[in-house]
Amino acid sequence: MKKIINNPDKYLQEMLDGIYIAHNDLITYTNDDKQCLVAKFKKEGKVGIATGGGSGHLPLFLGYVGQGLLDGCSVGDVFQSPSAEQMLAVTKEIDSGAGVLYIYGNYNGDIFNFDMAAEMADFEEDIRVESVVAGEDVASAGPTKDGKNTRRGVAGIFFVFKCAGAAAEKMLSLDEVKRVAEKAANNVRTMGVALTPCIVPRVGKAGFSIGEDEMEIGMGIHGETGIRRGKLEPADKVVDEMLEKIVEDLPYVYGDEVAVLVNGLGATTLDEQYIVTRRIDENLKSRGIKVHRYYVGEYATALEMAGFSISLLKLDDELKEYIDAPACTPFFRQ
Amino acid sequence: MKKIINNPDKYLQEMLDGIYIAHNDLITYTNDDKQCLVAKFKKEGKVGIATGGGSGHLPLFLGYVGQGLLDGCSVGDVFQSPSAEQMLAVTKEIDSGAGVLYIYGNYNGDIFNFDMAAEMADFEEDIRVESVVAGEDVASAGPTKDGKNTRRGVAGIFFVFKCAGAAAEKMLSLDEVKRVAEKAANNVRTMGVALTPCIVPRVGKAGFSIGEDEMEIGMGIHGETGIRRGKLEPADKVVDEMLEKIVEDLPYVYGDEVAVLVNGLGATTLDEQYIVTRRIDENLKSRGIKVHRYYVGEYATALEMAGFSISLLKLDDELKEYIDAPACTPFFRQ
């Protein structure tokens, strides 16, 4: 394991120490627990938006706490859910009477804890909480059991944060902010490709391997199995295969307008991400799908995994307004 | 070579295509040459600031073209200087009568071409050009030959861009903007550490190797030899060794105030960069050096190299004002 760390058991706390040192103008923590991160400035009467999840995905999740995006985030150990108590502490801190919306990824640990936190907020604190579970990964789409969404939540959750955050900033009600978040969640799809595994610091070695000439299409951001492993192909061919699956899934059709997120998983250069962007643009143009805005860079990583993901968000006039709204957080400014 | 690319010979052009697609609100090109990148909005009467250099270091150099930073950038192939003709084309486009300042890294190819471009701008176009060569790497400090600066220009050039860009935005004269750039260049020092090599796409394999348990302190962003290779040590120990050398070099002393840049070289996670930030803060506190502001992230990469660098900029009231000034470019907003 070649990482610049000290004791793996102190990885999370030392990382959080650094985050608070570097960004003390924008964020702080509550409940005397650095894993309970909240925005420094609270807008009275605004719906609070909280997220949470495991570490190892920076800038996800905590990097999006700030003006125009999220109000709080509970942070778990690497690839582990934070506790319901930590989520509740964040909820109490960010509520200012208008209620709190939870937006988080479709993982069992997170669902269990966020549901418990929502119940505690309601019964113990009289705070109204609503939840939107983001799961937009095309590779894990199903077959669905009992009508349940089996899709993993991956980089596309950024678009859900962005739209809901802008709606809350506009002082919409909890029901309205939830409606906007659901609309964004229902209109986003993501597909990823991994070239190398990543190593959880406490484990010290990769849980799987990918051959020197191989890639795995559809791999999750914790190394979950994808849909196809094969020889690494030229960028254009990889993009075309991923887009084919993404576009067919919603589907996105001729005349649609979209926002596009090209997300580096950790070790892949920006150069490569822009080579990918070029092909996405060609491909979508040939389908008559118009791109309103591109985001390119590391938005949701998987530690030092090499690879990238593509997310499309289908826009209408309302979502376009929210996507274009300003935001100011440690990792995202627009 | 595990990269998401097409033909290595098209790497630069396809990457630039992606850049213009994603950032067409802020940047464009001149002279019908995508390697001649300029800001879309020109402020009449302002000193123009141009940089340039090889690709493979994104967001350096072109990512800092925009309001409050640079006006233009000529882009060479991976780790190669752009041509004097390309630099001249950018110079002509960004001059609006107040002259142009070149700020670039201390590499022979860049110096040769920028000097030639400056002469051509003067003789052929009657544009006054001044140059500041940034070379702040501690590992390549000397011994100096003939009083020449042998230091490589690395991530700290961001601070020179930032200060000069803010001074130009304030409509200072060419001489004044040059004075500010020189002051920043003289007060910044950087040291890096590399954990893995990187691969130039056209070459297809690494030019050197670093053992699985090794690091190289002082390695340059093109893989230039550093000052010490040894076993990878805990983050705190690595930071302390690097800071010792940086602090002694200028020197930075008790009571000084600095801006700090923690720069990821490509494959190193943000998590690790924040673990490093925490130790820098402890170390500088113990020396009585006050940190005015931290920047953490990828500011000057070496393709997919793992590792990071630390840069300190010693501040006075003037530089502090320029560091804090707003900026809006494809890769940097404040």
Side-chain angles (χ1 to χ4, degrees):
Chain A
M1 177 173 57
K2 209 160 187 182
K3 291 180 191 275
I4 303 146
I5 60 173
N6 297 299
N7 181 344
D9 291 334
K10 293 186 176 166
Y11 183 90
L12 174 63
Q13 290 303 322
E14 291 186 349
M15 184 265 278
L16 289 173
D17 284 346
I19 294 266
Y20 290 110
I21 287 165
H23 304 292
N24 68 6
D25 52 333
L26 294 173
I27 52 175
T28 185
Y29 53 93
T30 186
N31 209 32
D32 210 22
D33 179 354
K34 289 190 174 163
Q35 293 179 239
C36 300
L37 189 140
V38 293
K40 228 163 181 174
F41 304 100
K42 196 168 170 174
K43 192 169 176 180
E44 285 304 317
K46 188 182 88 66
V47 168
I49 305 183
T51 190
S55 300
H57 304 300
L58 281 180
L60 207 63
F61 300 86
L62 61 86
Y64 301 117
V65 173
Q67 184 267 325
L69 271 159
L70 310 173
D71 301 281
C73 174
S74 41
V75 181
D77 211 335
V78 178
F79 296 177
Q80 302 291 325
S81 176
S83 71
E85 288 70 23
Q86 288 169 326
M87 293 166 180
L88 180 66
V90 168
T91 307
K92 286 162 65 177
E93 183 63 30
I94 69 172
D95 177 56
S96 67
V100 171
L101 180 66
Y102 292 164
I103 304 173
Y104 57 94
N106 191 17
Y107 297 95
N108 289 338
D110 294 319
I111 293 171
F112 179 85
N113 287 313
F114 270 111
D115 279 351
M116 194 184 298
E119 273 186 37
M120 292 192 287
D122 181 11
F123 292 135
E124 297 169 19
E125 308 294 337
D126 206 24
I127 299 170
R128 192 179 151 215
V129 171
E130 294 286 340
S131 295
V132 173
V133 182
E136 89 293 7
D137 174 40
V138 171
S140 48
T144 40
K145 304 167 201 152
D146 319 324
K148 271 191 185 166
N149 182 9
T150 60
R151 297 172 189 270
R152 295 186 287 264
V154 280
I157 198 171
F158 165 73
F159 283 140
V160 187
F161 293 160
K162 184 71 189 69
C163 293
E169 197 67 35
K170 217 179 153 184
M171 303 302 275
L172 298 196
S173 69
L174 179 55
D175 288 334
E176 278 292 284
V177 176
K178 184 185 181 187
R179 180 187 60 75
V180 170
E182 280 177 338
K183 193 205 270 190
N186 290 335
N187 282 286
V188 64
R189 291 292 183 275
T190 299
M191 172 81 84
V193 60
L195 272 62
T196 67
C198 60
I199 297 176
V200 174
R202 274 198 227 258
V203 178
K205 59 181 201 296
F208 61 97
S209 64
I210 305 181
E212 191 42 49
D213 58 347
E214 282 186 331
M215 63 176 178
E216 183 160 324
I217 292 202
M219 177 168 275
I221 57 172
H222 311 92
E224 297 95 334
T225 306
I227 53 172
R228 184 174 85 74
R229 188 177 283 212
K231 289 246 180 260
L232 180 60
E233 287 164 346
D236 288 0
K237 216 173 155 201
V238 177
V239 167
D240 288 350
E241 179 174 345
M242 291 164 73
L243 271 183
E244 186 73 24
K245 291 197 164 41
I246 295 170
V247 166
E248 279 177 359
D249 187 281
L250 192 65
Y252 301 85
V253 298
Y254 182 92
D256 278 352
E257 197 165 1
V258 297
V260 176
L261 170 60
V262 179
N263 170 56
L265 289 180
T268 287
T269 63
L270 269 168
D271 296 19
E272 291 160 88
Q273 293 171 48
Y274 282 105
I275 289 172
V276 162
T277 300
R278 171 191 161 277
R279 183 57 168 194
I280 294 172
D281 204 66
E282 282 181 351
N283 185 307
L284 293 181
K285 270 207 180 94
S286 75
R287 296 174 187 271
I289 296 170
K290 190 183 164 199
V291 179
H292 175 64
R293 192 188 271 265
Y294 279 97
Y295 296 92
V296 184
E298 293 181 357
Y299 282 75
T301 60
L303 293 167
E304 71 283 6
M305 193 183 276
F308 69 98
S309 64
I310 304 171
S311 304
L312 302 190
L313 171 68
K314 184 172 167 172
L315 297 169
D316 60 9
D317 287 345
E318 183 184 40
L319 292 187
K320 208 189 284 186
E321 176 195 335
Y322 295 140
I323 284 290
D324 288 344
C328 177
T329 76
F331 289 91
F332 182 79
R333 290 176 197 228
Q334 175 176 287
Chain B
M1 177 173 55
K2 210 161 190 183
K3 290 180 192 275
I4 303 147
I5 60 172
N6 297 299
N7 181 345
D9 290 335
K10 292 185 177 166
Y11 183 90
L12 175 62
Q13 290 303 322
E14 291 187 349
M15 183 266 278
L16 289 172
D17 284 347
I19 293 266
Y20 290 109
I21 287 165
H23 304 292
N24 68 6
D25 53 333
L26 293 173
I27 52 175
T28 184
Y29 53 93
T30 187
N31 210 33
D32 209 23
D33 180 353
K34 287 189 175 163
Q35 294 179 238
C36 300
L37 188 142
V38 292
K40 228 162 180 172
F41 304 100
K42 196 168 170 173
K43 191 168 175 181
E44 285 304 317
K46 188 183 87 68
V47 169
I49 306 182
T51 190
S55 300
H57 304 300
L58 282 179
L60 210 61
F61 299 87
L62 60 87
Y64 301 116
V65 173
Q67 183 267 326
L69 271 158
L70 310 172
D71 300 282
C73 174
S74 42
V75 181
D77 211 335
V78 177
F79 297 176
Q80 301 291 326
S81 176
S83 71
E85 289 70 23
Q86 289 169 325
M87 293 166 179
L88 181 65
V90 168
T91 308
K92 285 162 66 177
E93 183 63 31
I94 69 172
D95 177 56
S96 68
V100 171
L101 180 65
Y102 292 164
I103 304 174
Y104 58 94
N106 191 18
Y107 297 95
N108 288 338
D110 294 320
I111 293 170
F112 180 85
N113 287 312
F114 269 111
D115 280 351
M116 194 185 297
E119 274 186 37
M120 293 192 288
D122 181 11
F123 291 134
E124 297 169 20
E125 309 293 337
D126 206 24
I127 299 170
R128 192 180 150 213
V129 171
E130 293 286 340
S131 295
V132 173
V133 181
E136 91 290 8
D137 174 41
V138 171
S140 48
T144 40
K145 302 166 204 152
D146 319 325
K148 272 190 185 169
N149 182 7
T150 60
R151 297 171 189 270
R152 295 186 288 264
V154 280
I157 198 171
F158 165 73
F159 283 140
V160 187
F161 293 161
K162 183 71 189 69
C163 293
E169 197 66 36
K170 216 179 152 185
M171 303 302 276
L172 298 196
S173 70
L174 180 56
D175 287 334
E176 278 292 283
V177 177
K178 183 184 180 187
R179 179 188 59 76
V180 170
E182 279 177 339
K183 194 205 270 190
N186 289 336
N187 283 286
V188 64
R189 290 292 184 274
T190 298
M191 171 81 82
V193 60
L195 272 60
T196 67
C198 60
I199 298 176
V200 175
R202 275 198 226 258
V203 178
K205 59 181 204 294
F208 62 97
S209 63
I210 304 181
E212 191 41 48
D213 59 347
E214 282 185 331
M215 63 176 178
E216 183 160 324
I217 292 202
M219 175 168 277
I221 57 173
H222 312 92
E224 297 94 335
T225 306
I227 53 172
R228 183 174 84 76
R229 187 177 282 213
K231 290 246 180 262
L232 180 59
E233 286 164 345
D236 287 0
K237 214 171 157 202
V238 177
V239 167
D240 288 350
E241 179 174 345
M242 290 163 74
L243 271 182
E244 186 73 26
K245 292 195 163 43
I246 294 170
V247 166
E248 280 178 358
D249 188 282
L250 192 65
Y252 301 85
V253 298
Y254 182 91
D256 278 352
E257 196 165 1
V258 296
V260 176
L261 170 60
V262 180
N263 170 57
L265 289 180
T268 287
T269 63
L270 270 167
D271 296 19
E272 291 159 89
Q273 293 170 48
Y274 282 104
I275 289 172
V276 161
T277 300
R278 172 191 160 277
R279 183 57 169 195
I280 293 172
D281 205 66
E282 283 181 351
N283 185 306
L284 293 181
K285 269 205 181 97
S286 76
R287 295 174 187 271
I289 296 170
K290 188 183 164 198
V291 179
H292 174 64
R293 191 187 272 266
Y294 279 98
Y295 297 92
V296 184
E298 293 181 356
Y299 282 76
T301 61
L303 293 167
E304 71 283 5
M305 192 182 277
F308 68 97
S309 65
I310 304 170
S311 304
L312 301 190
L313 171 68
K314 183 172 168 170
L315 297 169
D316 60 11
D317 287 344
E318 183 183 41
L319 293 187
K320 209 190 283 186
E321 177 195 334
Y322 295 140
I323 283 291
D324 289 343
C328 178
T329 76
F331 290 90
F332 183 79
R333 287 173 200 232
Q334 177 175 285

